[in-house]
Amino acid sequence: VKRTAQTQVAVLGGLSIEPMSGYSLRQGIIETLGHFWSESYGQIYPALTDLESKGLVRRQGQGRTSGSRFEITSAGLIQLKAWLAEPFEPVPQRNAMLLRLFFGRHLGQDGCRRLLVDARGDAERRLVEYATIRAELAAATNDPDTKFFLITLAAGEAASKAVLAWTDEALALLDS
Amino acid sequence: VKRTAQTQVAVLGGLSIEPMSGYSLRQGIIETLGHFWSESYGQIYPALTDLESKGLVRRQGQGRTSGSRFEITSAGLIQLKAWLAEPFEPVPQRNAMLLRLFFGRHLGQDGCRRLLVDARGDAERRLVEYATIRAELAAATNDPDTKFFLITLAAGEAASKAVLAWTDEALALLDS
DNA sequence: TGACTCATGTAAGGCGTTACATGATTTT
DNA sequence: AAAATCATGTAACGCCTTACATGAGTCA
């Protein structure tokens, strides 16, 4: 699968949860998938046009009262399942903070410490957000999507906790 | 700082460790920074041309016996330190595996399990690699860059361990 | 000699964001 | 009425990889 298809997977997947406008699709992606996914209008609207021309989504309503909504078709659901099962190529990572730390000799000890302290603070803040989401999620136990939301949430929590442990270790290493 | 500058930081930083050809710069980036950074020739050579025209790097030798080398100039070292200290914008993440798990209801339980088991295997393999690198690094204790290499290595280890913990948790969640 | 590695570069194209333009609907 | 939000779209641009073209040096 090309990376092109990834946006279509995200869009089609979003619409599989409930029919939405392109606008609220983006809001939903930011709010719900924000810690591991991002899409911009420049991707979403062309993707919706493509998906519509392939018959995988359909417009309901004509923007009369509160904008139009796109809904997934049955062909779209079949295509979504097929795309989800296909292998994917991991995007090559580029971590600007680690790049700076690697050249830490030139950045200096204080600069490195600042980077690490900031990263630790970010991770702590993210953990607070995740705790809030987890509390909200406890209400909707019978939603079949909740389990999977919890799994991706746990990924964010694990990653943030790893940052806490790592920054502590790195700060100790820095002073040695 | 624009993201454009990131390649120049990586290139200039690499040359601050030792003079190299564009070719070996890429080899070095893959081997040493591979778990958190990537560059392709299509980025490296234009970056070297830019840096040369700004007087931040200089060619030594004319490709006589074994290719030319680029070395950082004193102006380049000053610029590198300035760039390292500037704030950076984190690249928005796109994790294709988490996207698939989020829509796990349509992927099915077996598909999800396969994703998680694969991710766990990848993390285990990475931890073995990191252990090898750590053993090799134990020899070069007096190199001033080693400490910073260890810090970025620890980041990779922490992230991989987090994946192990998370996949175990997620596999249990999946069967509940 | 033939194969392989080292080395430099470019062109095409996919990926992705930002900023802008436009207008309807809703809220204050 | 003014301001904010909802909504759709596009154009320009930056980022980044892949594939190709080219040639020198090394090694079997």
Side-chain angles (χ1 to χ4, degrees):
Chain A
V1 185
K2 287 188 186 166
R3 282 228 294 279
T4 326
Q6 302 304 302
T7 293
Q8 307 215 343
V9 172
V11 166
L12 211 47
L15 296 181
S16 82
I17 292 178
E18 78 180 311
M20 266 180 278
S21 66
Y23 183 90
S24 40
L25 207 38
R26 178 154 191 260
Q27 307 305 104
I29 287 173
I30 290 173
E31 279 171 34
T32 312
L33 317 181
H35 68 286
F36 66 85
W37 202 261
S38 72
E39 294 290 352
S40 56
Y41 292 132
Q43 300 268 105
I44 288 175
Y45 285 110
L48 281 169
T49 307
D50 272 18
L51 291 171
E52 194 182 20
S53 73
K54 289 185 208 152
L56 306 179
V57 306
R58 157 197 328 132
R59 269 168 223 260
Q60 40 167 233
Q62 308 306 331
R64 192 71 50 199
T65 54
S66 59
S68 67
R69 283 154 173 269
F70 293 88
E71 90 187 309
I72 192 169
T73 64
S74 54
L77 191 58
I78 290 167
Q79 180 63 82
L80 174 62
K81 290 180 192 214
W83 276 340
L84 289 176
E86 279 180 31
F88 52 88
E89 359 183 349
V91 181
Q93 293 296 325
R94 299 194 123 207
N95 187 322
M97 184 194 50
L98 290 182
L99 187 69
R100 275 156 182 73
L101 283 175
F102 187 84
F103 300 121
R105 184 159 60 90
H106 301 299
L107 177 57
Q109 191 147 349
D110 287 350
C112 291
R113 193 164 11 237
R114 207 168 309 124
L115 284 178
L116 290 166
V117 169
D118 284 355
R120 198 180 199 289
D122 288 346
E124 274 171 346
R125 246 165 282 127
R126 260 177 281 133
L127 281 171
V128 171
E129 277 177 49
Y130 296 151
T132 311
I133 295 171
R134 200 172 260 282
E136 285 168 9
L137 235 59
T141 332
N142 41 358
D143 182 343
D145 283 315
T146 301
K147 187 198 281 190
F148 301 102
F149 195 169
L150 276 174
I151 287 177
T152 59
L153 188 61
E157 289 169 339
S160 298
K161 283 182 201 155
V163 170
L164 294 189
W166 166 67
T167 48
D168 288 344
E169 183 188 352
L171 283 166
L173 246 162
L174 198 63
D175 292 328
S176 66
Chain B
V1 185
K2 287 188 188 167
R3 281 229 295 277
T4 327
Q6 302 304 303
T7 293
Q8 307 214 343
V9 172
V11 166
L12 210 47
L15 296 181
S16 81
I17 292 177
E18 79 180 311
M20 268 180 275
S21 66
Y23 183 89
S24 40
L25 206 39
R26 178 154 191 259
Q27 307 306 103
I29 286 172
I30 290 173
E31 279 170 34
T32 312
L33 317 181
H35 67 285
F36 66 85
W37 202 260
S38 71
E39 293 291 351
S40 57
Y41 292 133
Q43 299 267 102
I44 288 174
Y45 285 111
L48 282 169
T49 306
D50 272 18
L51 292 170
E52 194 182 21
S53 73
K54 290 184 206 154
L56 306 178
V57 305
R58 160 199 322 135
R59 269 169 223 261
Q60 39 168 234
Q62 308 304 334
R64 192 70 50 202
T65 53
S66 60
S68 68
R69 284 155 172 266
F70 294 86
E71 89 188 308
I72 192 168
T73 64
S74 53
L77 191 58
I78 290 168
Q79 179 64 80
L80 174 61
K81 291 180 191 212
W83 276 340
L84 289 175
E86 277 180 33
F88 52 88
E89 359 183 351
V91 180
Q93 293 296 326
R94 298 194 126 209
N95 187 321
M97 183 195 49
L98 289 182
L99 186 68
R100 276 156 181 73
L101 282 176
F102 186 85
F103 299 121
R105 185 160 59 91
H106 301 300
L107 177 56
Q109 191 145 349
D110 286 351
C112 289
R113 195 166 7 239
R114 207 170 308 125
L115 283 178
L116 290 166
V117 169
D118 285 355
R120 198 180 200 289
D122 288 346
E124 274 171 348
R125 246 166 281 128
R126 260 177 282 132
L127 281 171
V128 171
E129 279 178 47
Y130 295 151
T132 311
I133 296 171
R134 201 172 258 282
E136 284 168 9
L137 235 59
T141 332
N142 42 357
D143 182 343
D145 283 313
T146 302
K147 185 197 284 191
F148 300 102
F149 195 169
L150 275 174
I151 287 176
T152 58
L153 188 61
E157 291 169 339
S160 298
K161 283 181 202 157
V163 170
L164 293 189
W166 167 68
T167 48
D168 288 344
E169 184 188 351
L171 284 166
L173 246 162
L174 198 62
D175 292 327
S176 66

